Amino acid sequence: MTAQRVRLQPLTRARVASLGDAGAAWVAGLPRVLDDLAERWGLTWGRPLPGGSASYVAGATTAAGEPRVVKVPVPDADLADEPRTLRAAAGRGYVRLHDHDPASRALLLEALGPSLEQTAWEPERTLAVLADTLREAWHVPLATAPEVAAGEDKASTLARLLVDLDDRLGRPLAPRVRTHALACAERRAAAHDPERCVVVHGDPHPANVLRVREERAGAPGGFVLVDPDGFRADPAYDLGVTLREWTGRLRGPDAPQVLGRYADLLAERTGLDRTAIWEWGFLERVTTGLYVTSFGAAKVGRTFIESAERLV
């Protein structure tokens, strides 16, 4: 693969640019890394694929003609838990992991079809698939992820992130949004129960749920998850992340009612607490808006923050 064929997705490009010299060095060295991976795994490269902000992703074909996907993380992406989670899942609810290169941290993955984001389904149908796929993925053995230290539960870490980013970015949050998000975090932290935790995906938005190319075990609904964070948390946290999207549906005064219907659907589909799902969703909406703003994607971040303002 030549340097000319290495094309970063917009969010990845913004994130790498925010890293300064380290990001520039990673971009400059990426063609060599890809050449080394092609030799190691016997690959012929295909086209770059859309992804999030944390990796360069490209299609490839093995010497036997089998399709694969290769994912190379950006320098500041802490993805150490991803190969461990995928290996433990063995394809149940998740993309299959074929190999992992520790030096570059690259993953050789099962090739999949379109994502839920590309289906253009109504939110209710998309959320139902998300919930069903997550229920399958939550079977990853709990011992796969490290125990959570005191004060390091997800709600507590999100609360600290919120305060840090909001202060550092000059307080873009309306006071009522900040107050409500921190109250949600306090309640979720107080409710943290190690006995009820599962290995959550951590970021199950519609673009991270892809259709399998053919029917197989572990994907009874026809979809599997990619890009897991793989840590111990309340399973309602994952459902809250699925509520984080839909900013385009939350433009009017009925925004709380619209998102409330989605929370009801998720609670009914999984048997988990509706209030917990809602509070995790609000906290994720706010912190995601701040986080993407912090690495240069201010326009995207603003859509999350403005939608939060309509919910309180």
Side-chain angles (χ1 to χ4, degrees):
M1 178 176 286
T2 65
Q4 288 75 15
R5 294 183 63 191
V6 175
R7 297 189 300 274
L8 301 181
Q9 297 296 315
L11 283 178
T12 309
R13 189 163 55 245
R15 179 165 176 169
V16 170
S18 74
L19 300 177
D21 291 344
W26 180 81
V27 173
L30 186 55
R32 176 59 184 273
V33 169
L34 295 171
D35 287 343
D36 291 346
L37 292 172
E39 182 177 358
R40 170 178 175 152
W41 288 330
L43 301 175
T44 300
W45 292 109
R47 61 184 178 85
L49 300 174
S53 65
S55 303
Y56 175 79
V57 185
T61 306
T62 67
E66 298 171 331
R68 295 286 186 267
V69 168
V70 174
K71 174 180 176 180
V72 185
V74 301
D76 71 329
D78 183 9
L79 303 184
D81 293 328
E82 181 172 352
R84 181 170 62 240
T85 303
L86 294 180
R87 200 171 283 118
R92 184 171 187 181
Y94 281 108
V95 62
R96 285 176 171 153
L97 174 66
H98 290 287
D99 207 347
H100 172 228
D101 175 46
S104 65
R105 302 183 296 150
L107 305 177
L108 181 65
L109 302 166
E110 170 189 15
L112 298 168
S115 71
L116 269 178
E117 186 178 55
Q118 296 170 292
T119 61
W121 290 344
E122 286 299 304
E124 291 82 0
R125 184 177 179 186
T126 297
L127 288 166
V129 172
L130 279 162
D132 293 349
T133 306
L134 283 166
R135 290 180 67 186
E136 192 75 9
W138 291 333
H139 286 92
V140 169
L142 190 61
T144 302
E147 293 184 7
V148 179
E152 294 301 317
D153 59 276
K154 188 61 176 178
S156 296
T157 61
L158 285 176
R160 292 195 294 270
L161 178 68
L162 185 155
V163 171
D164 174 64
L165 290 179
D166 192 36
D167 290 350
R168 184 149 48 90
L169 293 170
R171 294 290 187 103
L173 296 182
R176 71 182 189 282
V177 171
R178 176 173 168 136
T179 298
H180 186 66
L182 289 175
C184 289
E186 183 177 1
R187 286 190 289 270
R188 291 303 98 216
H192 176 69
D193 181 358
E195 298 300 317
R196 299 182 62 191
C197 286
V198 301
V199 178
V200 297
H201 176 278
D203 196 23
H205 55 76
N208 273 345
V209 184
L210 278 63
R211 188 183 294 277
V212 293
R213 293 193 169 196
E214 57 185 31
E215 185 177 338
R216 70 164 176 82
F223 288 84
V224 291
L225 288 148
V226 300
D227 298 353
D229 294 331
F231 55 91
R232 297 190 192 197
D234 174 6
Y237 169 75
D238 267 346
L239 299 177
V241 175
T242 72
L243 279 187
R244 185 185 67 196
E245 310 302 315
W246 321 113
T247 55
R249 303 267 175 166
L250 305 177
R251 299 188 185 278
D254 64 340
Q257 290 73 35
V258 172
L259 204 64
R261 290 198 299 271
Y262 299 167
D264 289 339
L265 182 156
L266 293 168
E268 292 167 5
R269 199 90 181 183
T270 61
L272 295 176
D273 181 66
R274 190 260 196 200
T275 298
I277 296 168
W278 173 272
E279 292 186 341
W280 280 121
F282 189 83
L283 183 57
E284 267 292 311
R285 180 177 301 278
V286 173
T287 53
T288 297
L290 293 171
Y291 176 66
V292 297
T293 299
S294 74
F295 66 77
K299 185 175 181 180
V300 176
R302 191 63 205 163
T303 64
F304 285 102
I305 292 172
E306 288 177 349
S307 65
E309 291 171 357
R310 298 186 190 100
L311 296 172
V312 292

